[in-house]
Amino acid sequence: MKNLTLKNIAQVCHGIYYGPEDKLEEEIQSVTTDSRKTVKGCLFVPIVGERVDGHNFISQVMKEGALASLSERKLENVDFPYIQVESSLQAVKDIAEFYLRQLDIPVVGITGSVGKTSTKEVIASVLAQKYRTLKTQGNFNNELGLPLTVFRLRQEDEMAVLEMGISNFGEMTRLARIARPDTSVITNIGTCHLENLGDRDGVLKAKTEVFDFLKPDGHIVLNGDDDKLCTVKEHNGIRPVFFGLNDKCDVYADHIVNYGLKGMSCTIHIDQEVFSVNIPMPGRHMVYNALAAAAVGKIYGLTSEQIRDGIEALEPVSGRFKMIETEKFLVVDDCYNANPMSMKASLDVLKDGSGRRVAVLGDMGELGTDEIALHEEVGEYAARCGIDVLISTGKLSEYMAKKAAEVNPSLKVIYEPDKDHLLRNLEGYVCKGDTILVKASHFMNFEEVVEKLQNL
């Protein structure tokens, strides 16, 4: 890994090196926080978790071929190289910031309340038509996940598409200090993490912290249909590129055709160019994601044909509106996370399904003092959107169920207090031919609901 010698690592994380002097100029080959993923020449970063302390595995990973380890404690009577640091987490962020500067690879940083991952996937798919592109995998978008994504980069990579997720003020500053994006994309400003951010103005303030670390010649790409983002005029002389569904945006779409769960099509207008594209995933929100990708593609010199090919090559990610066909059902696996905005978007897609349209919804987290009202709001939306069955699970989802039943008495509403009760009774609630949406915040572990449906 370019310039990641033990000497440089010790310097950038303000650590104290212990070990043979002849090892100081050796470069590490990779970075891991998981002792089970030790490879020869790696740097091991021991993280102290709630249940597991990575320091307990330092000797093991060194025997398995690691070049060195970090440690928050002085290690007695060891014969291997290690760097003592005050905080492993802070050290890994400092090392990632240094490493990314060595590579000179353009970075597209993506944030927003809803759609970060799907937008990241479309942008990466588009850029991959011209460049060797590395993207964030899974949920590696926080203060540990982002550095670990950066460490996957190599000199031969040509683009980095990095997702950045936050839940509090200051987090974006710490993430953006590592990523220092050349292009910043914000999908929307919704009602996420209100427990910490207060209201949507707080969300806007927290998300736009990213602008403070943009490269001087960078780009800002924003959803022009979002009532908060459209108020951003410029930052340090950088005028945003807006995308949306109205022709006042720099990049816009019209002639939108909905093919239900088979996807969408639209016509994209960008810099006097016009082209049609088929989007292989359902939902009007996917049009916005495609527009963001088109804007980024244009910034980096892709042709309209390359942009269209990248959008049409998109593949779904597990837990993010992935269609799973079983012998009995079509299961829409959208259980990775949830907030009021994404719940409504998913319900809009479900109503286009065949057979009975069944929504299995669970609690949404980090909504602050309005959490009951926001669950009721989703319940009311479910009652009016045209689905056939609502199954809600969790303490807060009881308010969702009650509101749905109150607004639409003809809607079949089922409430289960927790996931265990739901799993025991689920088979009796669903029928052959159903289209079933499964969605909740990540802490609800609704992956088990998807697995149960696949095995019925």
Side-chain angles (χ1 to χ4, degrees):
M1 298 176 72
K2 186 177 180 181
N3 292 337
L4 280 192
T5 62
L6 296 185
K7 179 179 179 180
N8 285 341
I9 290 170
Q11 287 178 345
V12 301
C13 64
H14 310 291
I16 302 172
Y17 174 76
Y18 294 92
E21 293 293 313
D22 61 353
K23 295 284 187 181
L24 277 169
E25 297 302 327
E26 289 194 33
E27 289 182 351
I28 61 171
Q29 301 303 306
S30 62
V31 178
T32 185
T33 59
D34 188 340
S35 61
R36 298 166 297 181
K37 297 181 180 178
T38 302
V39 296
K40 185 176 177 58
C42 73
L43 174 70
F44 178 60
V45 180
I47 300 295
V48 180
E50 293 181 5
R51 290 176 289 184
V52 178
D53 183 350
H55 291 79
N56 296 332
F57 303 96
I58 292 177
S59 295
Q60 172 190 323
V61 300
M62 295 307 300
K63 289 177 183 176
E64 292 176 357
L67 177 60
S69 177
L70 300 185
S71 175
E72 295 179 359
R73 306 152 197 168
K74 189 167 183 179
L75 305 178
E76 303 292 344
N77 302 317
V78 298
D79 60 357
F80 51 76
Y82 77 95
I83 299 168
Q84 186 178 358
V85 296
E86 185 174 336
S87 163
S88 292
L89 180 58
Q90 184 57 51
V92 82
K93 291 188 283 187
D94 293 338
I95 299 166
E97 180 183 350
F98 171 80
Y99 179 57
L100 193 51
R101 290 204 306 269
Q102 311 308 302
L103 298 178
D104 193 30
I105 294 172
V107 172
V108 179
I110 301 168
T111 190
S113 295
V114 179
K116 292 185 294 294
T117 298
S118 53
T119 302
K120 174 256 299 181
E121 292 293 326
V122 189
I123 289 174
S125 185
V126 166
L127 292 175
Q129 303 303 306
K130 183 175 182 179
Y131 303 103
R132 175 172 166 141
T133 301
L134 181 134
K135 65 184 179 182
T136 301
Q137 291 183 337
N139 62 340
F140 279 57
N141 64 2
N142 58 19
E143 291 187 58
L144 179 58
L146 178 65
L148 293 177
T149 299
V150 168
F151 293 135
R152 291 174 44 231
L153 285 163
R154 294 296 181 268
Q155 287 175 262
E156 55 267 30
D157 289 316
E158 297 174 300
M159 294 290 304
V161 183
L162 305 180
E163 180 180 335
M164 296 184 286
I166 65 165
S167 59
N168 212 336
F169 295 108
E171 282 185 79
M172 183 59 73
T173 291
R174 296 190 290 274
L175 293 175
R177 181 177 283 115
I178 298 167
R180 297 183 185 270
D182 298 82
T183 300
S184 176
V185 180
I186 305 182
T187 60
N188 45 56
I189 302 298
T191 51
C192 303
H193 311 299
L194 299 185
E195 185 175 33
N196 299 321
L197 301 177
D199 55 21
R200 290 181 67 227
D201 289 323
V203 177
L204 176 67
K205 183 176 184 294
K207 299 290 186 185
T208 53
E209 289 175 12
V210 68
F211 297 160
D212 294 333
F213 293 88
L214 266 178
K215 301 284 178 61
D217 57 348
H219 304 272
I220 297 172
V221 179
L222 304 177
N223 182 341
D225 290 346
D226 185 282
D227 63 325
K228 298 296 183 183
L229 290 174
C230 71
T231 65
V232 179
K233 301 306 179 188
E234 68 169 24
H235 185 86
N236 290 341
I238 301 174
R239 179 194 170 276
V241 173
F242 289 104
F243 61 90
L245 302 186
N246 71 81
D247 58 12
K248 293 181 180 179
C249 290
D250 304 283
V251 183
Y252 70 94
D254 57 16
H255 300 108
I256 298 169
V257 179
N258 183 352
Y259 299 110
L261 299 185
K262 294 181 179 179
M264 312 282 291
S265 69
C266 67
T267 299
I268 293 177
H269 301 253
I270 181 169
D271 287 351
Q272 310 304 315
E273 294 184 62
V274 181
F275 60 96
S276 296
V277 61
N278 293 311
I279 305 170
M281 290 180 65
R284 197 174 183 85
H285 62 284
M286 287 303 303
V287 176
Y288 284 98
N289 299 344
L291 290 170
V296 173
K298 200 66 178 179
I299 287 169
Y300 290 100
L302 274 73
T303 65
S304 298
E305 290 75 17
Q306 289 171 321
I307 292 170
R308 182 187 61 233
D309 290 347
I311 294 170
E312 294 185 346
L314 179 66
E315 296 183 358
V317 179
S318 179
R320 310 278 188 164
F321 233 93
K322 183 177 182 180
M323 306 291 171
I324 303 171
E325 289 195 53
T326 76
E327 292 181 358
K328 295 182 178 179
F329 322 113
L330 174 60
V331 180
V332 183
D333 175 9
D334 197 23
C335 67
Y336 178 76
N337 221 334
N339 56 59
M341 186 183 296
S342 66
M343 282 281 201
K344 293 175 186 177
S346 296
L347 287 167
D348 282 339
V349 176
L350 175 64
K351 68 184 181 184
D352 293 324
S354 59
R356 292 195 317 164
R357 285 76 50 88
V358 180
V360 183
L361 307 182
D363 287 357
M364 302 175 286
E366 298 184 340
L367 296 179
T369 56
D370 291 333
E371 60 184 5
I372 291 175
L374 290 169
H375 279 80
E376 289 177 334
E377 183 179 304
V378 171
E380 180 172 356
Y381 197 86
R384 299 185 188 280
C385 75
I387 64 172
D388 300 294
V389 182
L390 170 64
I391 305 171
S392 66
T393 302
K395 292 181 180 179
L396 289 168
S397 292
E398 183 175 5
Y399 297 98
M400 185 192 300
K402 287 179 177 178
K403 177 59 73 171
E406 174 189 323
V407 171
N408 183 0
S410 65
L411 175 67
K412 184 174 182 179
V413 178
I414 299 166
Y415 173 69
E416 290 287 5
D418 54 51
K419 185 185 63 184
D420 290 339
H421 282 85
L422 172 65
L423 292 174
R424 283 198 295 270
N425 299 321
L426 186 57
E427 186 171 6
Y429 297 151
V430 293
C431 302
K432 187 173 183 178
D434 286 351
T435 298
I436 307 169
L437 167 70
V438 183
K439 190 168 182 64
S441 280
H442 192 56
F443 69 86
M444 293 291 288
N445 297 314
F446 264 31
E447 297 88 353
E448 296 177 38
V449 179
V450 173
E451 183 179 357
K452 176 77 172 183
L453 289 167
Q454 287 180 273
N455 294 324
L456 287 180

